């Protein structure tokens, strides 16, 4: 646990008592603060009471008297589409609002580091797609190289729930826009931006607000080094803002296109990763044989992880060796089975169109299981990427409406996962890939994308008889 510093003997309110909220309350208590807890759900309040925390209704009269800060969970809106009433009440009372990520950066380096031979480092990863794989891959590479590493944030443990890092240890954080946008302290040593595509637009008031939330990790924290995907205009803008000149090696640019200039660039083309310094190639890795990182989108993830690890001092050969032992993450281009010459791949995490487009580009002869709760922006971008789709099998409560937007893509309305897997398996030929890449959220039929992915895997398991 990282004890929260700066609130010893003071009252701090914690709003939202899920995984990160309870971890925050524990860390506040460990740092000498009095944590006052509240959740709109009875189960969350009961969990806090079971651990001996006092409940404190933020809407009660005088609720913010003598309260030093309000710490809110990332899922609770504070601006768009409308602030939670407790956050609005904190504003009215003049009480600062923060989150666990802000407390983490505020507290991490304040105690005990003067006795370490080598200060720990923090790598923070954000972006629309690929940040989980990139974060996990960075941690895997470091661990394989013998480095002390912890993975936390939007993946793994809560940021305040990790152990105090050892001398020379590395903390790898996956951070969502929700976690970044409210944090009052953001000071990673290395920050990674994978890419940007429309997502969470209602929460951020549009694409500009969404990008602004992501950008705070770089503009507020001033990382020593930034790894930036520049295949979208937002990444190009941010890389330019961060660099002091054309050869500024503090910014490592990542692209699937050839880059010009004297800086530090990582280019992924035709299955190869090339490291360029001052317009000269200094290392190259063949990614086509890396089974855990299939497709161009995973090659971008590999390049981002490579850049972060090179910035930490690892050699190209160390990184390349670790690539080959990386098995990937569940629900992200996860190879589930091969039955009768047909591959079954679970990419349930492809919850938006951009992620689905990248998944479709990683395989050939695809039997595509798609559908669910459609997000803003429509499905028009899917059609150009569907050249390898033999047929789509559409699931979801609004499967018929979703299917209408697939245009000329051959499709069948299946409704549920069991029907979709059975129909795809019945029609698949050896060499085909049955790919779950929904291009939609899961909440019309499932609790989460993980739940949806597990259902796919269970249905595939039944095919073995």
């Amino acid at each position: 646990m990282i004890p929260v510093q700066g609130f010893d003997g003071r009252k701090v309110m914690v709003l939202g008592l899920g995984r990160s909220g309870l971890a925050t309350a524990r860390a506040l208590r460990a740092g000498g603060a009095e944590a006052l807890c509240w959740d709109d759900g009875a189960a969350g309040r009961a969990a806090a009471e079971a651990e001996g925390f006092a409940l404190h209704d933020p809407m009660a009269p005088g609720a913010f008297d003598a309260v030093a800060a309000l710490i809110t969970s990332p899922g609770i809106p504070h601006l768009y589409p409308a602030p939670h009433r407790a956050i609005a009440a904190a504003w009215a009372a003049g009480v600062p609002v923060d989150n666990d990520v802000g407390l983490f950066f505020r507290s991490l380096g304040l105690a005990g580091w003067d006795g370490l031979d080598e200060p720990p480092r923090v790598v923070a990863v954000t972006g629309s797609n690929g940040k989980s794989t990139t974060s996990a891959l960075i941690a895997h590479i470091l661990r394989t190289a013998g480095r002390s590493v912890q993975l936390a944030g939007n993946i793994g443990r809560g940021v305040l729930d990790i152990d105090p890092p050892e001398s020379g240890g590395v903390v790898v954080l996956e951070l969502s826009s929700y976690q970044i946008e409210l944090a009052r302290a953001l000071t990673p040593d290395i920050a990674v931006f994978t890419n940007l595509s429309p997502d969470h637009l209602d929460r951020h008031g549009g694409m500009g607000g969404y990008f602004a939330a992501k950008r705070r990790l770089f503009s507020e924290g001033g990382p020593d080094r930034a790894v930036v995907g520049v295949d979208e205009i937002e990444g190009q803008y941010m890389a330019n803002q961060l660099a002091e000149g054309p050869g500024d090696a503090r910014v490592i640019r990542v692209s699937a296109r050839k880059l010009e200039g004297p800086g530090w660039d990582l280019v992924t083309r035709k299955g190869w990763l090339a490291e360029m310094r001052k317009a000269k190639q200094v290392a190259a890795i063949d990614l086509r044989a890396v089974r855990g990182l299939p497709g161009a989108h995973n090659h971008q993830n590999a390049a981002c992880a490579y850049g972060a690890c090179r910035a930490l001092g690892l050699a190209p050969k160390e990184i390349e060796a670790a690539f080959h032992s990386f098995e990937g993450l569940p629900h992200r281009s996860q190879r589930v089975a091969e039955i009768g010459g047909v591959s079954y791949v679970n990419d349930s995490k492809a919850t938006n169109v951009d992620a689905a487009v990248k998944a479709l580009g990683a395989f050939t002869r695809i039997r595509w299981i798609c559908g669910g709760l459609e997000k803003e922006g429509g499905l028009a971008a899917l059609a150009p990427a569907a050249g390898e789709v033999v047929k789509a099998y559409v699931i979801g409560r609004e499967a018929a409406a979703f299917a209408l937007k697939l245009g000329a893509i051959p499709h069948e309305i299946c409704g549920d996962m069991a029907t979709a897997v059975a129909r795809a398996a019945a029609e698949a030929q050896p060499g085909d890939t049955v790919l779950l890449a929904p291009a939609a959220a899961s909440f019309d039929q499932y609790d989460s994308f993980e739940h949806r992915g597990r259902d796919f895997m269970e249905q595939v398991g039944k095919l073995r008889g």
Side-chain angles (χ1 to χ4, degrees):
M1 177 186 302
I2 305 294
V4 172
Q5 306 296 311
F7 294 103
D8 188 17
R10 304 172 76 187
K11 296 179 180 179
V12 179
M13 193 181 303
V14 179
L15 177 65
L17 300 172
R19 178 175 66 101
S20 67
L22 280 175
T24 299
R26 297 184 197 110
L28 283 162
R29 184 162 60 186
E34 180 183 355
L36 307 175
C37 297
W38 189 257
D39 193 287
D40 290 339
R45 297 195 296 270
E49 282 189 306
E51 295 195 29
F53 292 108
L55 296 182
H56 190 80
D57 186 348
M59 301 314 298
F64 287 94
D65 292 349
V67 169
L70 171 65
I71 311 303
T72 180
S73 292
I76 298 174
H78 68 275
L79 187 57
Y80 304 114
H84 187 281
R85 57 182 187 158
I87 293 175
W91 292 348
V95 172
V97 179
D98 203 348
N99 63 13
D100 61 334
V101 172
L103 295 182
F104 168 84
F105 282 110
R106 171 177 176 156
S107 305
L108 183 64
L110 294 183
W113 279 23
D114 53 349
L116 300 180
D117 294 332
E118 182 182 349
R121 309 286 293 279
V122 177
V123 179
V125 181
T126 195
S128 297
N129 299 304
K131 58 184 178 292
S132 294
T133 296
T134 300
S135 301
L137 182 55
I138 293 169
H140 172 79
I141 295 167
L142 292 169
R143 196 174 294 116
T144 302
R147 301 284 290 271
S148 173
V149 61
Q150 298 183 77
L151 181 62
N154 206 41
I155 186 174
R157 300 160 71 182
V159 293
L160 293 171
D161 199 33
I162 65 171
D163 301 323
E166 303 171 356
S167 178
V170 181
V171 178
V172 181
L173 302 180
E174 180 200 335
L175 298 180
S176 69
S177 57
Y178 290 8
Q179 293 170 304
I180 296 170
E181 65 176 344
L182 193 59
R184 285 176 166 249
L186 288 166
T187 54
D189 297 283
I190 299 168
V192 180
F193 177 82
T194 59
N195 51 55
L196 196 78
S197 61
D199 209 356
H200 310 304
L201 300 188
D202 58 338
R203 169 66 180 257
H204 298 294
M207 195 67 178
Y210 179 45
F211 174 54
K214 297 284 190 186
R215 185 175 177 268
R216 288 191 77 244
L217 183 63
F218 301 81
S219 60
E220 299 292 326
D224 295 335
R225 183 154 277 138
V227 181
V228 181
V230 295
D231 284 341
E232 293 87 31
I233 191 171
E234 293 87 356
Q236 296 165 26
Y237 166 81
M238 189 158 64
N240 182 268
Q241 288 279 299
L242 293 169
E244 293 295 330
D248 190 347
R250 293 174 302 169
V251 180
I252 304 174
R253 298 184 300 167
V254 176
S255 180
R257 302 186 296 266
K258 183 178 180 181
L259 296 175
E260 304 289 346
W264 190 351
D265 300 332
L266 302 173
V267 177
T268 57
R269 298 181 69 191
K270 299 180 179 179
W272 284 83
L273 165 60
E275 179 182 358
M276 309 294 294
R277 300 270 195 115
K278 298 180 180 179
K280 295 182 179 180
Q281 182 175 302
V282 298
I285 297 175
D286 186 353
L287 298 173
R288 294 170 296 181
V290 180
R291 186 174 176 84
L293 296 166
H297 63 303
N298 274 314
H299 296 170
Q300 182 196 46
N301 298 335
C304 289
Y306 179 97
C309 291
R310 289 288 282 139
L312 289 169
L314 271 66
K317 289 296 183 184
E318 288 182 287
I319 300 171
E320 181 178 7
F323 279 167
H324 287 280
S325 59
F326 182 67
E327 296 183 354
L329 291 179
H331 316 297
R332 299 161 177 88
S333 296
Q334 178 187 12
R335 295 180 182 270
V336 174
E338 184 174 321
I339 304 171
V342 177
S343 297
Y344 293 82
V345 177
N346 167 23
D347 205 329
S348 184
K349 184 60 172 66
T351 58
N352 59 42
V353 168
D354 186 65
V357 165
K358 291 175 178 177
L360 291 171
F363 304 97
T364 59
R365 294 173 52 185
I366 299 169
R367 303 278 174 176
W368 177 30
I369 299 177
C370 59
L373 190 62
E374 186 181 342
K375 293 188 175 182
E376 292 183 34
L379 305 178
L382 288 170
E388 288 292 336
V389 174
V390 179
K391 185 176 178 180
Y393 304 82
V394 187
I395 62 173
R397 291 181 184 172
E398 304 296 329
F402 193 99
L404 283 174
K405 298 179 182 180
L406 295 179
I409 301 172
H411 61 265
E412 178 177 337
I413 297 171
C414 297
D416 59 68
M417 188 69 73
T419 303
V421 171
R423 291 293 302 139
E427 297 182 345
Q429 302 295 317
D432 287 359
T433 295
V434 176
L435 171 67
L436 171 65
S442 59
F443 302 117
D444 59 334
Q445 291 183 313
Y446 299 96
D447 295 335
S448 63
F449 73 83
E450 294 96 339
H451 183 194
R452 177 171 58 191
R454 288 194 298 270
D455 189 16
F456 173 76
M457 294 167 68
E458 289 171 6
Q459 301 306 323
V460 172
K462 293 176 182 179
L463 299 175
R464 296 185 183 275

